[in-house]
Amino acid sequence: MLPKLLPTLALALAALPACAADRSTDPLAPVVQCLADGDFKLAQQQRLPATSTSRQVATAAGNYAVSTADGYRLLVHKASSAPLVNLKVELSAPGKFAADRVTVLAQLREMSNKRPPGMMALTLSEVNGVEVMAVNNPTIERGGPISLYTLAHEGSGVISTAYILSQPKEVREFGNYEQYAALRDQFIAKLAGCLAAQN
């Protein structure tokens, strides 16, 4: 019996990648379109493959998976030729949002607990009904991300992680930390508004 089933099973398995890649809907498209409508623009957008159903994050208790039923990786610009934000927008799998939120919060707590000297402690707030978790550096004079923000919106089941970048000095859009903070807050308010609109 088993030898007769093997060709059928092989055909079914061969068809899996094609089926997984065929998505008839794009539930995150309104968020992506909203982000590109206004002062910010998307220089790069990449949708997660359908086969990518989770990502690993490190917490004090070990590595845990955050579900990704769908998702985008975006590079967001304002006026500069350099990206301002490296952004993940991820839809939790059905029934997984609460657990995913706990996991990403645990990751941020671990990062905050092990933060290098000068990095600010984890802060929790709310913007437009969207939970905002943030860890900030107090200076713009560093490479890589200056801030890490995770926004969690229960109504849509979306968790978005924003690495807000320092930008090279020659094309930087902010001259001091106050200007950076204003630009950062403008983007976070925009992102929160786009997520809140998904109710």
Side-chain angles (χ1 to χ4, degrees):
M1 184 71 177
L2 184 58
K4 291 181 180 180
L5 286 176
L6 286 177
T8 304
L9 181 60
L11 285 172
L13 290 174
L16 278 178
C19 294
D22 180 22
R23 290 176 168 176
S24 58
T25 61
D26 188 355
L28 294 176
V31 178
V32 174
Q33 292 164 4
C34 175
L35 286 169
D37 179 21
D39 291 335
F40 298 97
K41 58 187 178 183
L42 305 180
Q44 180 179 320
Q45 61 184 70
Q46 180 181 7
R47 193 176 181 188
L48 290 180
T51 52
S52 179
T53 57
S54 67
R55 63 180 174 92
Q56 294 291 312
V57 301
T59 74
N63 292 337
Y64 286 86
V66 173
S67 71
T68 53
D70 206 339
Y72 276 89
R73 301 291 181 263
L74 309 168
L75 283 181
V76 182
H77 291 242
K78 195 166 185 277
S80 174
S81 59
L84 177 68
V85 185
N86 185 341
L87 183 66
K88 295 187 183 91
V89 180
E90 297 169 335
L91 177 66
S92 289
K96 295 288 188 181
F97 173 84
D100 289 341
R101 177 204 164 272
V102 168
T103 299
V104 296
L105 180 56
Q107 177 195 27
L108 287 170
R109 288 195 191 284
E110 176 68 355
M111 291 175 62
S112 181
N113 290 339
K114 293 185 174 180
R115 66 187 185 274
M119 181 180 280
M120 299 175 186
L122 172 67
T123 61
L124 303 176
S125 60
E126 186 178 295
V127 177
N128 288 334
V130 178
E131 184 178 15
V132 178
M133 316 167 205
V135 179
N136 286 285
N137 282 287
T139 177
I140 61 173
E141 300 305 328
R142 55 163 290 145
I146 300 175
S147 303
L148 171 58
Y149 277 70
T150 295
L151 279 67
H153 183 236
E154 184 176 9
S156 62
V158 175
I159 294 175
S160 187
T161 303
Y163 298 87
I164 306 177
L165 309 174
S166 61
Q167 298 184 318
K169 285 185 178 180
E170 61 273 15
V171 292
R172 188 180 283 170
E173 296 178 78
F174 40 87
N176 54 47
Y177 195 85
E178 290 71 25
Q179 292 174 359
Y180 163 76
L183 186 56
R184 174 200 67 200
D185 293 349
Q186 180 188 0
F187 175 76
I188 295 302
K190 174 72 172 179
L191 176 57
C194 290
L195 294 178
Q198 303 313 301
N199 278 334

